[in-house]
Amino acid sequence: MIIIGERINGMFNDIGEAIKNQDPTAIQEWAVKQLEAGANYLDANVGPAVEDSPEVMKWLVEVIQDEVDAPVCIDTTNVDAMEAALEVHKGTAMINSVTAEPSKLEAILPLVKEYEAEVIGLAMDKTGVPKDSATRTAKAMEIVANVDAHGIPMEDLYVDPLILPVNVAQDHAPEVLETIKQVKLLADPAPKTVLGLSNVSQNCTNMGLINRTFLVMAMAAGLDAAIMEANDQEMLDSIATAEIILNNDIYCDSFLKQFRK
Amino acid sequence: MGLTGLEIYKKLPQTNCGECGSPTCLAFAMQLAEGKAELSECPDVSDEAKAALDAASKPPIATVTVGAGNYEREIGGETELFRHDKTFFNETGVAVAVSDEEDVAAKVEQINALSFERVGQDIEVDMIAVTNDSGDADTFVEAVQTVADNSERSLILVTEDSATMEAALDIVADQNPLLYAATADNYEAMTELAKDNECPLAVKGEDLDSLAELTKKVDYEDLVIDSGARGTSEVLRDQTVIRRLCIKKKFRPVGFPTITFTTKEDPQEEVMQASTYITKYAGIVVLSNTVELAEMLSLLTVRQNIYTDPRVPVTVEPNKVYEVGEPDENSPIFITTNFSLSYYSVEGDVSASKEPAYIIPIDTDGTSVLTAWAADKFGGAKIGEILTEEMDIEDMVDHRKLIISGYVAVISGKLEEASGWDVIVGPRESSGIPNFISNRWESELNE
């Protein structure tokens, strides 16, 4: 399971303040903390407090990588900001995200190719989030075909089938699980799959429980990665357990500990 | 697995004409991948696309039959890169080469003797490759005749001269020999011979590329392939590439079982080389110098073990008495199950005790003591019934004592009732057996 730590996001007050004041302290603290917990990537989103400009995104990537040696998941809809961040990023970055809209694909995929980055493809277009699995899969297929046409390795694509909160869009969750299964059949080698996990429990009670239960179900369907709270220990226990039950990791009595190494 | 949506899409005409009923070629590709549409609905479909779909519906590696009668065997038909992922299905054919320049009858006699019984199964060399080293057709035919007269083993006819091959086929075509080999120079004549006689045909390339080119030209399905590599590392590489291309990429031109040849002259080295080929996907391995059973046995054992189905527990023959050392009327009797891990754990620890004993593995469908007990296959009544009705253990010993594992102490009462023997609850782990025998058995015996 590839864990993309979600915490460096301007919608959290401490990060929002840090970005506004150009003070890297909180950002760098969270970078270290998430990696120590087991995150593989650090999502970086400037949030609603400041303008999503190339300068801010670039600064954010730089202050993160000044502190830690880890790839950043560049989370923005602004193509200029993506490019500015890619220019300064060290190692293999992840772009979050592109949709199946032709204009987006044409603007973003050449960047992904040029910088040898990875990319998250949202299974939607400008008409919004599809309701059923078949439409989600069709949107994913459009992204898959374009990624292939741009000469980007299929393993570098992470398809996000888009989970919605279970309290208001309950019928979406099973469709998302089915989409994860279908996406794995679209190409060989298969594209990877990713979820913005915390979305499933927005404004629900027992958010942690909902998150980790859904993640285990999604892993059983073939999920490869999640943007999630990397410091949620119960979540990590659930992932470690699922990896054992899926026969991805070899069992040992100390599997919870081994998973964190 | 069928073709992926992307693979189909790339082979579609990309016209987006909509005549198939789907709005775009991409959408049609997805319908095809899900089995909801037929390729024939596309008006502009190419032969390439048809071939790709055809390839997807076939197994990755063809199954080819070599030989006839007792030694007929299927090779190929494999689906795995690693045996623990499922199993390897068709055992590698092990052949020994006989040159038409040596004493054919004498070597055939040696090959016929390469047969052994191991864990209840006959394992043996099952093919003979007759090689046309003389370059002379009559000599070759005579050698083939001698082999056919003296052995039932499947034949591999090794000559690249089609006239010589034809002459040999005149006498042994009904034995379904493997014709070795079609090359870039002779493949048309060889393919005709294979077709006319309905025999499997080996295709030999200079390397993987030329091999794939050649199999595309050969209009025949019963093929066995040889990349031409002879060094161990080169064969290992080619065997791996071929297996991966078949299974991972559905690459049809190499979707056939393979034939490999050893090159080492020293039998020990030859057996090591052949073992490598058996573990790495060879359909047939041809040796030249290993004709002693002591040397060949290790290779045949490797084959038997590698092709054992890992999903099925390995068992020992149940409900019979096994003797460890030379037990007598005062030796202990251990009861265990016929799961080979259980049996051999007990056997190993009894041996370690240096005291002779009897072991009786009960038929539990190859499950361990606790598994069998939980599944009601190792109950006292059942074991008692087997011991009294199916076996003759009374005459073996003067005492009337059976030893069971400490883990199933709970069955001792029922077992005593059903068997009429005293039941001693032994140690839980078989590692406690040596200690049990040296410290407790004598007092138990005299009780």
Side-chain angles (χ1 to χ4, degrees):
Chain A
M1 188 70 195
I2 298 163
I3 297 169
I4 304 166
E6 70 180 6
R7 192 55 176 71
I8 303 176
N9 187 318
M11 75 173 187
F12 294 103
N13 288 336
D14 56 347
I15 302 293
E17 286 294 308
I19 295 171
K20 212 154 64 183
N21 303 330
Q22 298 274 294
D23 173 8
T25 316
I27 295 163
Q28 292 174 337
E29 276 174 12
W30 273 110
V32 171
K33 210 169 145 183
Q34 293 184 95
L35 288 173
E36 280 176 355
N40 307 100
Y41 292 76
L42 301 172
D43 193 79
N45 184 318
V46 300
V50 291
E51 194 201 344
D52 185 3
S53 67
E55 290 72 32
V56 180
M57 197 71 214
K58 181 174 158 228
W59 175 82
L60 195 51
V61 168
E62 280 176 331
V63 298
I64 292 171
Q65 291 199 321
D66 278 349
E67 183 69 18
V68 295
D69 181 17
V72 176
C73 179
I74 300 163
D75 187 356
T76 172
T77 51
N78 180 334
V79 178
D80 293 335
M82 273 178 204
E83 183 158 21
L86 283 169
E87 270 172 15
V88 297
H89 188 278
K90 289 174 274 187
T92 304
M94 189 184 289
I95 291 294
N96 183 6
S97 55
V98 67
T99 67
E101 266 176 272
S103 62
K104 296 256 177 178
L105 290 164
E106 279 317 305
I108 295 169
L109 292 185
L111 287 180
V112 173
K113 172 76 180 164
E114 183 183 345
Y115 290 94
E116 294 180 359
E118 298 174 314
V119 62
I120 294 177
L122 309 182
M124 61 178 285
D125 56 20
K126 58 174 183 274
T127 61
V129 176
K131 190 162 158 41
D132 62 331
S133 149
T135 318
R136 280 179 160 91
T137 310
K139 293 299 148 198
M141 184 66 204
E142 286 174 28
I143 299 170
V144 162
N146 275 280
V147 160
D148 184 65
H150 278 86
I152 298 164
M154 203 48 66
E155 298 96 317
D156 290 350
L157 170 64
Y158 291 70
V159 171
D160 182 345
L162 295 159
I163 184 64
L164 299 180
V166 73
N167 55 351
V168 293
Q170 198 168 354
D171 50 348
H172 278 254
E175 300 290 336
V176 166
L177 293 174
E178 179 59 25
T179 309
I180 293 169
K181 287 185 204 160
Q182 293 296 328
V183 164
K184 297 309 265 180
L185 306 176
L186 289 180
D188 183 14
K192 294 197 175 86
T193 48
V194 66
L195 283 175
L197 186 64
S198 317
N199 230 15
V200 72
S201 62
Q202 244 181 55
N203 295 318
C204 299
T205 59
N206 293 316
M207 289 164 68
L209 178 62
I210 294 173
N211 288 345
R212 60 182 184 268
T213 303
F214 183 62
L215 185 65
V216 166
M217 296 168 82
M219 285 176 73
L223 187 73
D224 299 291
I227 305 170
M228 54 175 257
E229 192 183 335
N231 298 80
D232 178 342
Q233 293 303 317
E234 285 174 309
M235 175 73 88
L236 289 177
D237 286 350
S238 290
I239 295 173
T241 310
E243 295 284 16
I244 293 292
I245 292 173
L246 291 169
N247 195 23
N248 292 335
D249 288 343
I250 296 174
Y251 176 84
C252 66
D253 285 348
S254 58
F255 68 92
L256 293 179
K257 208 164 120 196
Q258 292 304 320
F259 178 75
R260 288 169 166 83
K261 283 189 179 168
Chain B
M1 190 182 126
L3 283 181
T4 66
L6 184 62
E7 284 168 309
I8 299 171
Y9 172 64
K10 285 169 136 179
K11 292 184 166 38
L12 291 180
Q14 322 271 339
T15 51
N16 296 327
C17 68
E19 283 189 39
C20 58
S22 295
T24 60
C25 290
L26 194 52
F28 183 53
M30 288 190 57
Q31 296 279 312
L32 285 172
E34 289 168 26
K36 291 178 187 163
E38 297 269 340
L39 190 61
S40 58
E41 290 164 40
C42 172
D44 299 317
V45 63
S46 66
D47 287 343
E48 193 198 356
K50 281 184 196 150
L53 276 186
D54 180 45
S57 63
K58 278 188 187 170
I61 298 172
T63 303
V64 175
T65 305
V66 179
N70 288 338
Y71 288 90
E72 176 183 298
R73 82 157 48 244
E74 291 188 331
I75 54 173
E78 302 295 337
T79 60
E80 304 304 320
L81 291 171
F82 301 103
R83 62 185 287 276
H84 59 252
D85 286 337
K86 188 186 279 175
T87 186
F88 291 166
F89 294 96
N90 292 316
E91 284 191 349
T92 306
V94 173
V96 175
V98 177
S99 167
D100 65 357
E101 286 183 320
E102 63 185 320
D103 184 344
V104 175
K107 193 160 185 189
V108 169
E109 197 178 326
Q110 286 179 300
I111 296 168
N112 283 340
L114 297 176
S115 172
F116 195 81
E117 189 189 315
R118 185 172 174 274
V119 291
Q121 285 176 21
D122 290 324
I123 57 175
E124 53 193 336
V125 168
D126 36 40
M127 298 180 176
I128 296 177
V130 191
T131 60
N132 184 211
D133 295 324
S134 68
D136 179 63
D138 293 340
T139 312
F140 184 63
V141 171
E142 197 185 321
V144 169
Q145 182 74 60
T146 307
V147 174
D149 287 346
N150 291 290
S151 180
E152 289 180 61
R153 266 81 179 163
S154 302
L155 285 166
I156 304 172
L157 305 177
V158 183
T159 178
E160 291 181 13
D161 181 76
S162 58
T164 305
M165 186 69 85
E166 187 170 10
L169 275 172
D170 279 343
I171 55 169
V172 293
D174 59 335
Q175 294 180 30
N176 195 32
L178 173 64
L179 315 187
Y180 184 96
T183 64
D185 298 326
N186 70 7
Y187 73 90
E188 281 158 328
M190 283 290 187
T191 308
E192 279 310 304
L193 282 177
K195 278 186 184 172
D196 291 346
N197 294 285
E198 296 178 354
C199 291
L201 174 66
V203 177
K204 182 188 178 189
E206 304 287 324
D207 52 33
L208 278 175
D209 289 338
S210 68
L211 174 65
E213 284 309 309
L214 194 53
T215 59
K216 280 191 227 169
K217 287 188 218 160
V218 174
D219 176 30
Y220 193 57
E221 289 294 306
D222 272 347
L223 300 182
V224 175
I225 55 176
D226 177 4
S227 71
R230 291 295 180 268
T232 311
S233 57
E234 290 78 21
V235 174
L236 187 61
R237 175 199 63 206
D238 286 358
Q239 291 284 116
T240 307
V241 171
I242 289 170
R243 178 64 66 94
R244 290 184 69 97
L245 282 173
C246 295
I247 290 169
K248 298 280 185 196
K249 298 288 177 193
K250 302 174 215 77
F251 185 63
R252 296 307 304 174
V254 294
F256 303 97
T258 58
I259 182 168
T260 56
F261 293 81
T262 57
T263 53
K264 302 287 185 188
E265 284 180 12
D266 172 50
Q268 289 186 23
E269 290 186 29
E270 185 174 47
V271 163
M272 282 194 277
Q273 207 179 13
S275 299
T276 306
Y277 302 164
I278 285 177
T279 52
K280 298 310 276 188
Y281 319 134
I284 295 173
V285 58
V286 183
L287 297 91
S288 298
N289 305 305
T290 305
V291 286
E292 296 296 330
L293 185 57
E295 293 153 355
M296 185 60 85
L297 183 58
S298 57
L299 183 68
L300 298 174
T301 305
V302 164
R303 175 177 71 176
Q304 188 184 30
N305 285 336
I306 291 293
Y307 279 83
T308 302
D309 191 338
R311 301 165 299 180
V312 179
V314 186
T315 62
V316 295
E317 195 185 330
N319 304 350
K320 65 176 243 187
V321 179
Y322 289 79
E323 298 185 351
V324 183
E326 288 173 11
D328 59 22
E329 66 281 0
N330 291 321
S331 298
I333 301 175
F334 292 93
I335 306 290
T336 185
T337 79
N338 74 321
F339 180 38
S340 72
L341 273 179
S342 299
Y343 172 79
Y344 284 110
S345 298
V346 174
E347 198 248 22
D349 285 313
V350 170
S351 293
S353 77
K354 302 264 178 7
E355 295 291 335
Y358 301 98
I359 305 174
I360 301 177
I362 299 294
D363 187 359
T364 58
D365 299 326
T367 54
S368 69
V369 168
L370 277 177
T371 311
W373 176 70
D376 210 16
K377 291 174 182 167
F378 201 65
K382 185 196 156 179
I383 299 171
E385 194 182 298
I386 290 170
L387 293 180
T388 50
E389 289 178 16
E390 293 183 34
M391 304 184 57
D392 218 9
I393 59 170
E394 255 108 69
D395 305 335
M396 297 179 332
V397 288
D398 287 345
H399 63 80
R400 288 289 174 267
K401 294 173 197 295
L402 303 169
I403 305 161
I404 61 170
S405 162
Y407 279 117
V408 287
V410 60
I411 69 171
S412 57
K414 279 251 172 68
L415 179 54
E416 286 195 346
E417 238 171 70
S419 65
W421 287 50
D422 292 338
V423 174
I424 302 167
V425 176
R428 290 187 155 202
E429 301 289 340
S430 65
S431 56
I433 286 177
N435 190 29
F436 171 88
I437 294 180
S438 54
N439 295 330
R440 272 181 62 196
W441 174 239
E442 207 170 301
S443 61
E444 293 281 1
L445 188 63
N446 296 325
E447 219 172 66

